[in-house]
Amino acid sequence: MTDMADVKPNPMETHSALPPEETERLTSEIIAALKTVFDPEIPADIYELGLIYKVEIRDDRSVDVLMTLTTPNCPAAGELPTMVENAVASVPGVGVVEVKVVWEPMWSPERMSDEARLVLNMW
């Protein structure tokens, strides 16, 4: 069994063979780690920008991350997935981390949280 959860700025509901308190801790700490990663050209973190589509926490504690970029021509395309992998791997108790960049659905500003909109003055 795996824990397949959409990562969004609102609370996540999770289901896993891991104890609920451990799943909750991992989820919270993974989100916090993702919020430390910034696109070098945008002063908002990738989580609040809505670039993280899914995080899957498996029963063996490995973590799969589906993410996108603001555009296929993003100058940080080569470094952002590695930054995400390193951030998630830094969470205590997380096993192997795999990050996959996807282009469907395409990112749009509607995916940004209110926090990102405020930072970018996009009201």
Side-chain angles (χ1 to χ4, degrees), residues 17-32:
L18 294 173
E21 60 277 357
E22 181 64 0
T23 302
E24 185 177 320
R25 180 192 69 80
L26 287 172
T27 299
S28 175
E29 291 185 18
I30 287 170
I31 290 170

Side-chain angles (χ1 to χ4, degrees), residues 58-95:
R58 298 182 181 276
D59 292 345
D60 66 357
R61 297 174 179 270
S62 63
V63 177
D64 294 333
V65 179
L66 289 180
M67 67 175 289
T68 196
L69 302 171
T70 54
T71 73
N73 299 323
C74 176
E79 63 191 270
L80 274 176
T82 301
M83 293 167 66
V84 169
E85 180 181 347
N86 291 339
V88 174
S90 74
V91 173
V94 165

Side-chain angles (χ1 to χ4, degrees), residues 4 12 16 19 22 25-26 29 34 40-41 45-46 48 52 56 61 70 73 78 94-95 97 101 110 117 120:
M4 192 65 131
M12 295 172 34
S16 175
E22 181 64 0
R25 180 192 69 80
L26 287 172
E29 291 185 18
L34 290 169
E41 296 184 338
D45 69 76
I46 62 165
E48 297 298 338
I52 302 298
E56 182 176 358
R61 297 174 179 270
T70 54
N73 299 323
V94 165
V97 178
V101 176
E110 290 79 37
R117 290 178 194 286
L120 298 174

Side-chain angles (χ1 to χ4, degrees), residues 7 25 119:
V7 178
R25 180 192 69 80
V119 168

